[in-house]
PDB file of all heavy atoms in Angstrom:
ATOM      1  N   THR U   1     -30.782 -62.638  27.875  1.00 85.00           N
ATOM      2  CA  THR U   1     -31.610 -61.439  27.941  1.00 85.00           C
ATOM      3  C   THR U   1     -33.088 -61.809  27.810  1.00 85.00           C
ATOM      4  O   THR U   1     -33.928 -61.280  28.531  1.00 85.00           O
ATOM      5  CB  THR U   1     -31.209 -60.437  26.847  1.00 85.00           C
ATOM      6  OG1 THR U   1     -29.832 -60.109  27.019  1.00 85.00           O
ATOM      7  CG2 THR U   1     -32.036 -59.183  26.921  1.00 85.00           C
ATOM      8  N   ALA U   2     -33.409 -62.717  26.899  1.00 82.00           N
ATOM      9  CA  ALA U   2     -34.794 -63.146  26.713  1.00 82.00           C
ATOM     10  C   ALA U   2     -35.313 -63.847  27.966  1.00 82.00           C
ATOM     11  O   ALA U   2     -36.451 -63.616  28.387  1.00 82.00           O
ATOM     12  CB  ALA U   2     -34.899 -64.067  25.502  1.00 82.00           C
ATOM     13  N   THR U   3     -34.477 -64.674  28.584  1.00 86.00           N
ATOM     14  CA  THR U   3     -34.863 -65.372  29.809  1.00 86.00           C
ATOM     15  C   THR U   3     -35.091 -64.378  30.934  1.00 86.00           C
ATOM     16  O   THR U   3     -36.068 -64.486  31.683  1.00 86.00           O
ATOM     17  CB  THR U   3     -33.770 -66.390  30.215  1.00 86.00           C
ATOM     18  OG1 THR U   3     -33.606 -67.327  29.156  1.00 86.00           O
ATOM     19  CG2 THR U   3     -34.138 -67.116  31.501  1.00 86.00           C
ATOM     20  N   GLU U   4     -34.223 -63.404  31.063  1.00 86.00           N
ATOM     21  CA  GLU U   4     -34.382 -62.374  32.091  1.00 86.00           C
ATOM     22  C   GLU U   4     -35.667 -61.594  31.877  1.00 86.00           C
ATOM     23  O   GLU U   4     -36.365 -61.267  32.842  1.00 86.00           O
ATOM     24  CB  GLU U   4     -33.184 -61.432  32.093  1.00 86.00           C
ATOM     25  CG  GLU U   4     -31.917 -62.079  32.600  1.00 86.00           C
ATOM     26  CD  GLU U   4     -30.697 -61.186  32.431  1.00 86.00           C
ATOM     27  OE1 GLU U   4     -30.834 -60.029  31.986  1.00 86.00           O
ATOM     28  OE2 GLU U   4     -29.593 -61.651  32.735  1.00 86.00           O
ATOM     29  N   GLN U   5     -35.997 -61.293  30.627  1.00 85.00           N
ATOM     30  CA  GLN U   5     -37.222 -60.559  30.318  1.00 85.00           C
ATOM     31  C   GLN U   5     -38.450 -61.362  30.737  1.00 85.00           C
ATOM     32  O   GLN U   5     -39.373 -60.833  31.343  1.00 85.00           O
ATOM     33  CB  GLN U   5     -37.294 -60.222  28.818  1.00 85.00           C
ATOM     34  CG  GLN U   5     -38.541 -59.469  28.416  1.00 85.00           C
ATOM     35  CD  GLN U   5     -38.627 -58.088  29.027  1.00 85.00           C
ATOM     36  OE1 GLN U   5     -37.611 -57.452  29.302  1.00 85.00           O
ATOM     37  NE2 GLN U   5     -39.829 -57.626  29.255  1.00 85.00           N
ATOM     38  N   VAL U   6     -38.444 -62.640  30.428  1.00 86.00           N
ATOM     39  CA  VAL U   6     -39.563 -63.510  30.810  1.00 86.00           C
ATOM     40  C   VAL U   6     -39.692 -63.564  32.333  1.00 86.00           C
ATOM     41  O   VAL U   6     -40.801 -63.479  32.877  1.00 86.00           O
ATOM     42  CB  VAL U   6     -39.389 -64.926  30.214  1.00 86.00           C
ATOM     43  CG1 VAL U   6     -40.372 -65.913  30.821  1.00 86.00           C
ATOM     44  CG2 VAL U   6     -39.536 -64.887  28.699  1.00 86.00           C
ATOM     45  N   GLN U   7     -38.556 -63.688  33.019  1.00 85.00           N
ATOM     46  CA  GLN U   7     -38.582 -63.730  34.484  1.00 85.00           C
ATOM     47  C   GLN U   7     -39.128 -62.431  35.061  1.00 85.00           C
ATOM     48  O   GLN U   7     -39.907 -62.454  36.012  1.00 85.00           O
ATOM     49  CB  GLN U   7     -37.181 -64.012  35.030  1.00 85.00           C
ATOM     50  CG  GLN U   7     -36.727 -65.430  34.787  1.00 85.00           C
ATOM     51  CD  GLN U   7     -35.271 -65.652  35.189  1.00 85.00           C
ATOM     52  OE1 GLN U   7     -34.487 -64.717  35.300  1.00 85.00           O
ATOM     53  NE2 GLN U   7     -34.908 -66.919  35.396  1.00 85.00           N
ATOM     54  N   MET U   8     -38.732 -61.302  34.513  1.00 88.00           N
ATOM     55  CA  MET U   8     -39.236 -60.007  34.983  1.00 88.00           C
ATOM     56  C   MET U   8     -40.743 -59.895  34.766  1.00 88.00           C
ATOM     57  O   MET U   8     -41.468 -59.407  35.630  1.00 88.00           O
ATOM     58  CB  MET U   8     -38.504 -58.853  34.288  1.00 88.00           C
ATOM     59  CG  MET U   8     -37.059 -58.709  34.690  1.00 88.00           C
ATOM     60  SD  MET U   8     -36.860 -58.302  36.443  1.00 88.00           S
ATOM     61  CE  MET U   8     -37.457 -56.633  36.448  1.00 88.00           C
ATOM     62  N   GLU U   9     -41.211 -60.352  33.608  1.00 87.00           N
ATOM     63  CA  GLU U   9     -42.647 -60.307  33.325  1.00 87.00           C
ATOM     64  C   GLU U   9     -43.420 -61.199  34.283  1.00 87.00           C
ATOM     65  O   GLU U   9     -44.499 -60.827  34.746  1.00 87.00           O
ATOM     66  CB  GLU U   9     -42.902 -60.715  31.876  1.00 87.00           C
ATOM     67  CG  GLU U   9     -42.443 -59.674  30.873  1.00 87.00           C
ATOM     68  CD  GLU U   9     -42.499 -60.146  29.431  1.00 87.00           C
ATOM     69  OE1 GLU U   9     -42.990 -61.275  29.174  1.00 87.00           O
ATOM     70  OE2 GLU U   9     -42.060 -59.391  28.553  1.00 87.00           O
ATOM     71  N   GLU U  10     -42.879 -62.362  34.588  1.00 89.00           N
ATOM     72  CA  GLU U  10     -43.528 -63.267  35.533  1.00 89.00           C
ATOM     73  C   GLU U  10     -43.582 -62.654  36.929  1.00 89.00           C
ATOM     74  O   GLU U  10     -44.592 -62.762  37.623  1.00 89.00           O
ATOM     75  CB  GLU U  10     -42.804 -64.611  35.574  1.00 89.00           C
ATOM     76  CG  GLU U  10     -43.025 -65.445  34.337  1.00 89.00           C
ATOM     77  CD  GLU U  10     -42.182 -66.716  34.307  1.00 89.00           C
ATOM     78  OE1 GLU U  10     -41.321 -66.907  35.199  1.00 89.00           O
ATOM     79  OE2 GLU U  10     -42.383 -67.515  33.373  1.00 89.00           O
ATOM     80  N   MET U  11     -42.497 -61.999  37.356  1.00 88.00           N
ATOM     81  CA  MET U  11     -42.481 -61.349  38.663  1.00 88.00           C
ATOM     82  C   MET U  11     -43.492 -60.215  38.711  1.00 88.00           C
ATOM     83  O   MET U  11     -44.189 -60.034  39.708  1.00 88.00           O
ATOM     84  CB  MET U  11     -41.083 -60.837  38.993  1.00 88.00           C
ATOM     85  CG  MET U  11     -40.124 -61.945  39.369  1.00 88.00           C
ATOM     86  SD  MET U  11     -38.525 -61.358  39.949  1.00 88.00           S
ATOM     87  CE  MET U  11     -37.809 -60.748  38.435  1.00 88.00           C
ATOM     88  N   GLU U  12     -43.584 -59.447  37.629  1.00 86.00           N
ATOM     89  CA  GLU U  12     -44.543 -58.342  37.569  1.00 86.00           C
ATOM     90  C   GLU U  12     -45.970 -58.878  37.634  1.00 86.00           C
ATOM     91  O   GLU U  12     -46.818 -58.313  38.327  1.00 86.00           O
ATOM     92  CB  GLU U  12     -44.330 -57.532  36.291  1.00 86.00           C
ATOM     93  CG  GLU U  12     -45.206 -56.313  36.188  1.00 86.00           C
ATOM     94  CD  GLU U  12     -44.915 -55.247  37.217  1.00 86.00           C
ATOM     95  OE1 GLU U  12     -43.795 -55.195  37.749  1.00 86.00           O
ATOM     96  OE2 GLU U  12     -45.826 -54.444  37.491  1.00 86.00           O
ATOM     97  N   GLU U  13     -46.232 -59.980  36.944  1.00 89.00           N
ATOM     98  CA  GLU U  13     -47.568 -60.572  36.962  1.00 89.00           C
ATOM     99  C   GLU U  13     -47.920 -61.063  38.371  1.00 89.00           C
ATOM    100  O   GLU U  13     -49.035 -60.838  38.852  1.00 89.00           O
ATOM    101  CB  GLU U  13     -47.649 -61.735  35.974  1.00 89.00           C
ATOM    102  CG  GLU U  13     -49.026 -62.348  35.880  1.00 89.00           C
ATOM    103  CD  GLU U  13     -49.104 -63.441  34.842  1.00 89.00           C
ATOM    104  OE1 GLU U  13     -48.353 -63.397  33.845  1.00 89.00           O
ATOM    105  OE2 GLU U  13     -49.928 -64.350  35.028  1.00 89.00           O
ATOM    106  N   LYS U  14     -46.979 -61.700  39.043  1.00 89.00           N
ATOM    107  CA  LYS U  14     -47.212 -62.168  40.413  1.00 89.00           C
ATOM    108  C   LYS U  14     -47.467 -60.990  41.344  1.00 89.00           C
ATOM    109  O   LYS U  14     -48.328 -61.056  42.222  1.00 89.00           O
ATOM    110  CB  LYS U  14     -46.021 -62.986  40.917  1.00 89.00           C
ATOM    111  CG  LYS U  14     -45.921 -64.347  40.293  1.00 89.00           C
ATOM    112  CD  LYS U  14     -44.705 -65.088  40.819  1.00 89.00           C
ATOM    113  CE  LYS U  14     -44.562 -66.440  40.160  1.00 89.00           C
ATOM    114  NZ  LYS U  14     -43.361 -67.149  40.626  1.00 89.00           N
ATOM    115  N   ARG U  15     -46.733 -59.924  41.141  1.00 86.00           N
ATOM    116  CA  ARG U  15     -46.906 -58.723  41.960  1.00 86.00           C
ATOM    117  C   ARG U  15     -48.294 -58.139  41.743  1.00 86.00           C
ATOM    118  O   ARG U  15     -48.981 -57.761  42.685  1.00 86.00           O
ATOM    119  CB  ARG U  15     -45.832 -57.697  41.604  1.00 86.00           C
ATOM    120  CG  ARG U  15     -45.879 -56.447  42.438  1.00 86.00           C
ATOM    121  CD  ARG U  15     -44.783 -55.471  41.980  1.00 86.00           C
ATOM    122  NE  ARG U  15     -44.956 -54.219  42.627  1.00 86.00           N
ATOM    123  CZ  ARG U  15     -45.844 -53.291  42.259  1.00 86.00           C
ATOM    124  NH1 ARG U  15     -46.611 -53.491  41.232  1.00 86.00           N
ATOM    125  NH2 ARG U  15     -45.942 -52.163  42.913  1.00 86.00           N
ATOM    126  N   ASP U  16     -48.734 -58.067  40.481  1.00 87.00           N
ATOM    127  CA  ASP U  16     -50.068 -57.546  40.164  1.00 87.00           C
ATOM    128  C   ASP U  16     -51.158 -58.404  40.804  1.00 87.00           C
ATOM    129  O   ASP U  16     -52.119 -57.877  41.362  1.00 87.00           O
ATOM    130  CB  ASP U  16     -50.285 -57.482  38.652  1.00 87.00           C
ATOM    131  CG  ASP U  16     -49.477 -56.391  37.979  1.00 87.00           C
ATOM    132  OD1 ASP U  16     -48.951 -55.499  38.678  1.00 87.00           O
ATOM    133  OD2 ASP U  16     -49.365 -56.438  36.740  1.00 87.00           O
ATOM    134  N   ILE U  17     -51.006 -59.716  40.725  1.00 91.00           N
ATOM    135  CA  ILE U  17     -51.988 -60.626  41.318  1.00 91.00           C
ATOM    136  C   ILE U  17     -52.042 -60.432  42.828  1.00 91.00           C
ATOM    137  O   ILE U  17     -53.125 -60.374  43.423  1.00 91.00           O
ATOM    138  CB  ILE U  17     -51.663 -62.086  40.954  1.00 91.00           C
ATOM    139  CG1 ILE U  17     -51.923 -62.310  39.462  1.00 91.00           C
ATOM    140  CG2 ILE U  17     -52.477 -63.061  41.807  1.00 91.00           C
ATOM    141  CD1 ILE U  17     -51.386 -63.626  38.924  1.00 91.00           C
ATOM    142  N   ALA U  18     -50.889 -60.307  43.452  1.00 91.00           N
ATOM    143  CA  ALA U  18     -50.839 -60.098  44.893  1.00 91.00           C
ATOM    144  C   ALA U  18     -51.478 -58.762  45.276  1.00 91.00           C
ATOM    145  O   ALA U  18     -52.185 -58.675  46.288  1.00 91.00           O
ATOM    146  CB  ALA U  18     -49.392 -60.162  45.392  1.00 91.00           C
ATOM    147  N   LEU U  19     -51.278 -57.739  44.466  1.00 92.00           N
ATOM    148  CA  LEU U  19     -51.872 -56.431  44.741  1.00 92.00           C
ATOM    149  C   LEU U  19     -53.395 -56.505  44.624  1.00 92.00           C
ATOM    150  O   LEU U  19     -54.120 -55.975  45.467  1.00 92.00           O
ATOM    151  CB  LEU U  19     -51.304 -55.376  43.793  1.00 92.00           C
ATOM    152  CG  LEU U  19     -51.742 -53.937  44.039  1.00 92.00           C
ATOM    153  CD1 LEU U  19     -51.337 -53.472  45.434  1.00 92.00           C
ATOM    154  CD2 LEU U  19     -51.140 -53.018  42.986  1.00 92.00           C
ATOM    155  N   TRP U  20     -53.890 -57.165  43.589  1.00 91.00           N
ATOM    156  CA  TRP U  20     -55.339 -57.339  43.427  1.00 91.00           C
ATOM    157  C   TRP U  20     -55.902 -58.120  44.611  1.00 91.00           C
ATOM    158  O   TRP U  20     -56.967 -57.782  45.130  1.00 91.00           O
ATOM    159  CB  TRP U  20     -55.634 -58.067  42.116  1.00 91.00           C
ATOM    160  CG  TRP U  20     -55.704 -57.173  40.937  1.00 91.00           C
ATOM    161  CD1 TRP U  20     -54.769 -56.279  40.513  1.00 91.00           C
ATOM    162  CD2 TRP U  20     -56.775 -57.084  40.002  1.00 91.00           C
ATOM    163  NE1 TRP U  20     -55.193 -55.665  39.373  1.00 91.00           N
ATOM    164  CE2 TRP U  20     -56.420 -56.141  39.038  1.00 91.00           C
ATOM    165  CE3 TRP U  20     -57.990 -57.745  39.890  1.00 91.00           C
ATOM    166  CZ2 TRP U  20     -57.247 -55.810  37.982  1.00 91.00           C
ATOM    167  CZ3 TRP U  20     -58.820 -57.420  38.827  1.00 91.00           C
ATOM    168  CH2 TRP U  20     -58.446 -56.457  37.895  1.00 91.00           C
ATOM    169  N   TYR U  21     -55.226 -59.179  45.002  1.00 93.00           N
ATOM    170  CA  TYR U  21     -55.685 -59.979  46.134  1.00 93.00           C
ATOM    171  C   TYR U  21     -55.775 -59.103  47.382  1.00 93.00           C
ATOM    172  O   TYR U  21     -56.775 -59.139  48.105  1.00 93.00           O
ATOM    173  CB  TYR U  21     -54.754 -61.169  46.383  1.00 93.00           C
ATOM    174  CG  TYR U  21     -55.231 -62.039  47.523  1.00 93.00           C
ATOM    175  CD1 TYR U  21     -56.120 -63.081  47.293  1.00 93.00           C
ATOM    176  CD2 TYR U  21     -54.802 -61.795  48.827  1.00 93.00           C
ATOM    177  CE1 TYR U  21     -56.575 -63.868  48.347  1.00 93.00           C
ATOM    178  CE2 TYR U  21     -55.268 -62.574  49.874  1.00 93.00           C
ATOM    179  CZ  TYR U  21     -56.144 -63.601  49.632  1.00 93.00           C
ATOM    180  OH  TYR U  21     -56.592 -64.360  50.676  1.00 93.00           O
ATOM    181  N   TRP U  22     -54.738 -58.336  47.640  1.00 94.00           N
ATOM    182  CA  TRP U  22     -54.755 -57.445  48.798  1.00 94.00           C
ATOM    183  C   TRP U  22     -55.949 -56.508  48.723  1.00 94.00           C
ATOM    184  O   TRP U  22     -56.687 -56.341  49.705  1.00 94.00           O
ATOM    185  CB  TRP U  22     -53.450 -56.626  48.868  1.00 94.00           C
ATOM    186  CG  TRP U  22     -53.602 -55.483  49.818  1.00 94.00           C
ATOM    187  CD1 TRP U  22     -53.475 -55.522  51.171  1.00 94.00           C
ATOM    188  CD2 TRP U  22     -53.977 -54.143  49.487  1.00 94.00           C
ATOM    189  NE1 TRP U  22     -53.747 -54.278  51.701  1.00 94.00           N
ATOM    190  CE2 TRP U  22     -54.058 -53.421  50.690  1.00 94.00           C
ATOM    191  CE3 TRP U  22     -54.258 -53.481  48.292  1.00 94.00           C
ATOM    192  CZ2 TRP U  22     -54.408 -52.083  50.736  1.00 94.00           C
ATOM    193  CZ3 TRP U  22     -54.604 -52.146  48.329  1.00 94.00           C
ATOM    194  CH2 TRP U  22     -54.674 -51.451  49.539  1.00 94.00           C
ATOM    195  N   PHE U  23     -56.159 -55.899  47.554  1.00 94.00           N
ATOM    196  CA  PHE U  23     -57.232 -54.921  47.408  1.00 94.00           C
ATOM    197  C   PHE U  23     -58.602 -55.567  47.632  1.00 94.00           C
ATOM    198  O   PHE U  23     -59.447 -55.007  48.324  1.00 94.00           O
ATOM    199  CB  PHE U  23     -57.172 -54.278  46.016  1.00 94.00           C
ATOM    200  CG  PHE U  23     -58.183 -53.186  45.826  1.00 94.00           C
ATOM    201  CD1 PHE U  23     -58.020 -51.960  46.449  1.00 94.00           C
ATOM    202  CD2 PHE U  23     -59.291 -53.378  45.013  1.00 94.00           C
ATOM    203  CE1 PHE U  23     -58.948 -50.943  46.274  1.00 94.00           C
ATOM    204  CE2 PHE U  23     -60.233 -52.373  44.834  1.00 94.00           C
ATOM    205  CZ  PHE U  23     -60.058 -51.147  45.471  1.00 94.00           C
ATOM    206  N   LEU U  24     -58.829 -56.742  47.068  1.00 93.00           N
ATOM    207  CA  LEU U  24     -60.131 -57.399  47.176  1.00 93.00           C
ATOM    208  C   LEU U  24     -60.403 -57.989  48.551  1.00 93.00           C
ATOM    209  O   LEU U  24     -61.538 -57.951  49.030  1.00 93.00           O
ATOM    210  CB  LEU U  24     -60.248 -58.516  46.135  1.00 93.00           C
ATOM    211  CG  LEU U  24     -60.459 -58.049  44.702  1.00 93.00           C
ATOM    212  CD1 LEU U  24     -60.292 -59.209  43.735  1.00 93.00           C
ATOM    213  CD2 LEU U  24     -61.829 -57.413  44.542  1.00 93.00           C
ATOM    214  N   PHE U  25     -59.381 -58.541  49.196  1.00 92.00           N
ATOM    215  CA  PHE U  25     -59.635 -59.317  50.403  1.00 92.00           C
ATOM    216  C   PHE U  25     -58.967 -58.808  51.679  1.00 92.00           C
ATOM    217  O   PHE U  25     -59.356 -59.231  52.764  1.00 92.00           O
ATOM    218  CB  PHE U  25     -59.212 -60.775  50.170  1.00 92.00           C
ATOM    219  CG  PHE U  25     -59.919 -61.394  48.998  1.00 92.00           C
ATOM    220  CD1 PHE U  25     -59.218 -61.710  47.847  1.00 92.00           C
ATOM    221  CD2 PHE U  25     -61.282 -61.630  49.025  1.00 92.00           C
ATOM    222  CE1 PHE U  25     -59.863 -62.275  46.756  1.00 92.00           C
ATOM    223  CE2 PHE U  25     -61.942 -62.191  47.938  1.00 92.00           C
ATOM    224  CZ  PHE U  25     -61.225 -62.510  46.798  1.00 92.00           C
ATOM    225  N   GLU U  26     -57.983 -57.940  51.560  1.00 92.00           N
ATOM    226  CA  GLU U  26     -57.268 -57.519  52.764  1.00 92.00           C
ATOM    227  C   GLU U  26     -57.275 -56.012  53.006  1.00 92.00           C
ATOM    228  O   GLU U  26     -56.841 -55.566  54.058  1.00 92.00           O
ATOM    229  CB  GLU U  26     -55.823 -58.027  52.701  1.00 92.00           C
ATOM    230  CG  GLU U  26     -55.740 -59.545  52.712  1.00 92.00           C
ATOM    231  CD  GLU U  26     -54.332 -60.073  52.554  1.00 92.00           C
ATOM    232  OE1 GLU U  26     -53.402 -59.288  52.293  1.00 92.00           O
ATOM    233  OE2 GLU U  26     -54.165 -61.298  52.681  1.00 92.00           O
ATOM    234  N   SER U  27     -57.743 -55.248  52.045  1.00 91.00           N
ATOM    235  CA  SER U  27     -57.838 -53.802  52.275  1.00 91.00           C
ATOM    236  C   SER U  27     -59.024 -53.546  53.208  1.00 91.00           C
ATOM    237  O   SER U  27     -59.750 -54.468  53.571  1.00 91.00           O
ATOM    238  CB  SER U  27     -58.044 -53.057  50.951  1.00 91.00           C
ATOM    239  OG  SER U  27     -59.354 -53.293  50.445  1.00 91.00           O
ATOM    240  N   ASN U  28     -59.231 -52.333  53.573  1.00 88.00           N
ATOM    241  CA  ASN U  28     -60.315 -52.001  54.490  1.00 88.00           C
ATOM    242  C   ASN U  28     -61.661 -51.855  53.788  1.00 88.00           C
ATOM    243  O   ASN U  28     -62.643 -51.498  54.422  1.00 88.00           O
ATOM    244  CB  ASN U  28     -59.977 -50.716  55.242  1.00 88.00           C
ATOM    245  CG  ASN U  28     -58.831 -50.921  56.209  1.00 88.00           C
ATOM    246  OD1 ASN U  28     -58.752 -51.958  56.852  1.00 88.00           O
ATOM    247  ND2 ASN U  28     -57.935 -49.973  56.296  1.00 88.00           N
ATOM    248  N   LEU U  29     -61.716 -52.133  52.497  1.00 94.00           N
ATOM    249  CA  LEU U  29     -62.978 -52.063  51.762  1.00 94.00           C
ATOM    250  C   LEU U  29     -63.661 -53.424  51.792  1.00 94.00           C
ATOM    251  O   LEU U  29     -62.998 -54.458  51.842  1.00 94.00           O
ATOM    252  CB  LEU U  29     -62.723 -51.686  50.296  1.00 94.00           C
ATOM    253  CG  LEU U  29     -62.036 -50.359  50.027  1.00 94.00           C
ATOM    254  CD1 LEU U  29     -61.763 -50.217  48.536  1.00 94.00           C
ATOM    255  CD2 LEU U  29     -62.881 -49.206  50.521  1.00 94.00           C
ATOM    256  N   SER U  30     -64.987 -53.403  51.709  1.00 94.00           N
ATOM    257  CA  SER U  30     -65.676 -54.687  51.567  1.00 94.00           C
ATOM    258  C   SER U  30     -65.318 -55.262  50.200  1.00 94.00           C
ATOM    259  O   SER U  30     -64.994 -54.524  49.262  1.00 94.00           O
ATOM    260  CB  SER U  30     -67.186 -54.503  51.680  1.00 94.00           C
ATOM    261  OG  SER U  30     -67.699 -53.879  50.513  1.00 94.00           O
ATOM    262  N   THR U  31     -65.374 -56.564  50.081  1.00 93.00           N
ATOM    263  CA  THR U  31     -65.026 -57.210  48.816  1.00 93.00           C
ATOM    264  C   THR U  31     -65.932 -56.719  47.696  1.00 93.00           C
ATOM    265  O   THR U  31     -65.456 -56.450  46.587  1.00 93.00           O
ATOM    266  CB  THR U  31     -65.106 -58.744  48.956  1.00 93.00           C
ATOM    267  OG1 THR U  31     -64.204 -59.137  49.993  1.00 93.00           O
ATOM    268  CG2 THR U  31     -64.726 -59.440  47.668  1.00 93.00           C
ATOM    269  N   GLN U  32     -67.222 -56.570  47.976  1.00 95.00           N
ATOM    270  CA  GLN U  32     -68.153 -56.101  46.946  1.00 95.00           C
ATOM    271  C   GLN U  32     -67.810 -54.681  46.504  1.00 95.00           C
ATOM    272  O   GLN U  32     -67.829 -54.372  45.310  1.00 95.00           O
ATOM    273  CB  GLN U  32     -69.601 -56.161  47.451  1.00 95.00           C
ATOM    274  CG  GLN U  32     -70.609 -55.806  46.388  1.00 95.00           C
ATOM    275  CD  GLN U  32     -70.530 -56.725  45.172  1.00 95.00           C
ATOM    276  OE1 GLN U  32     -70.462 -57.938  45.300  1.00 95.00           O
ATOM    277  NE2 GLN U  32     -70.511 -56.144  43.985  1.00 95.00           N
ATOM    278  N   ARG U  33     -67.482 -53.821  47.444  1.00 96.00           N
ATOM    279  CA  ARG U  33     -67.107 -52.440  47.108  1.00 96.00           C
ATOM    280  C   ARG U  33     -65.834 -52.438  46.266  1.00 96.00           C
ATOM    281  O   ARG U  33     -65.730 -51.713  45.270  1.00 96.00           O
ATOM    282  CB  ARG U  33     -66.903 -51.629  48.391  1.00 96.00           C
ATOM    283  CG  ARG U  33     -66.402 -50.216  48.191  1.00 96.00           C
ATOM    284  CD  ARG U  33     -67.466 -49.309  47.642  1.00 96.00           C
ATOM    285  NE  ARG U  33     -66.986 -47.926  47.674  1.00 96.00           N
ATOM    286  CZ  ARG U  33     -67.097 -47.087  46.663  1.00 96.00           C
ATOM    287  NH1 ARG U  33     -67.731 -47.445  45.573  1.00 96.00           N
ATOM    288  NH2 ARG U  33     -66.620 -45.873  46.752  1.00 96.00           N
ATOM    289  N   ALA U  34     -64.868 -53.249  46.642  1.00 95.00           N
ATOM    290  CA  ALA U  34     -63.614 -53.327  45.890  1.00 95.00           C
ATOM    291  C   ALA U  34     -63.870 -53.815  44.464  1.00 95.00           C
ATOM    292  O   ALA U  34     -63.315 -53.264  43.506  1.00 95.00           O
ATOM    293  CB  ALA U  34     -62.626 -54.242  46.609  1.00 95.00           C
ATOM    294  N   LYS U  35     -64.713 -54.826  44.307  1.00 94.00           N
ATOM    295  CA  LYS U  35     -65.029 -55.343  42.982  1.00 94.00           C
ATOM    296  C   LYS U  35     -65.719 -54.288  42.121  1.00 94.00           C
ATOM    297  O   LYS U  35     -65.419 -54.149  40.939  1.00 94.00           O
ATOM    298  CB  LYS U  35     -65.901 -56.591  43.101  1.00 94.00           C
ATOM    299  CG  LYS U  35     -65.144 -57.813  43.588  1.00 94.00           C
ATOM    300  CD  LYS U  35     -66.051 -58.978  43.928  1.00 94.00           C
ATOM    301  CE  LYS U  35     -66.788 -59.503  42.721  1.00 94.00           C
ATOM    302  NZ  LYS U  35     -67.592 -60.712  43.062  1.00 94.00           N
ATOM    303  N   THR U  36     -66.633 -53.545  42.719  1.00 96.00           N
ATOM    304  CA  THR U  36     -67.332 -52.480  41.995  1.00 96.00           C
ATOM    305  C   THR U  36     -66.356 -51.412  41.524  1.00 96.00           C
ATOM    306  O   THR U  36     -66.408 -50.967  40.371  1.00 96.00           O
ATOM    307  CB  THR U  36     -68.421 -51.850  42.889  1.00 96.00           C
ATOM    308  OG1 THR U  36     -69.354 -52.868  43.255  1.00 96.00           O
ATOM    309  CG2 THR U  36     -69.142 -50.716  42.181  1.00 96.00           C
TER     310      THR U  36
END
């Protein structure tokens, strides 16, 4: 159960990082606007 919890947290963190990356660099906003 502890191992599964750690794995879920790691997957959630990777998902969050990927979402931020998309927002900053691949969304239709300029990077500066996204950062602001």
Side-chain angles (χ1 to χ4, degrees):
T1 302
T3 300
E4 290 173 4
Q5 180 65 29
V6 168
Q7 288 173 340
M8 291 296 289
E9 289 171 5
E10 288 174 354
M11 286 187 289
E12 184 66 23
E13 183 177 331
K14 287 179 182 178
R15 183 181 171 281
D16 289 346
I17 290 169
L19 185 60
W20 275 54
Y21 182 88
W22 165 82
F23 184 73
L24 286 169
F25 303 111
E26 296 176 353
S27 71
N28 291 321
L29 300 175
S30 73
T31 301
Q32 185 59 46
R33 175 73 171 134
K35 287 170 64 176
T36 300

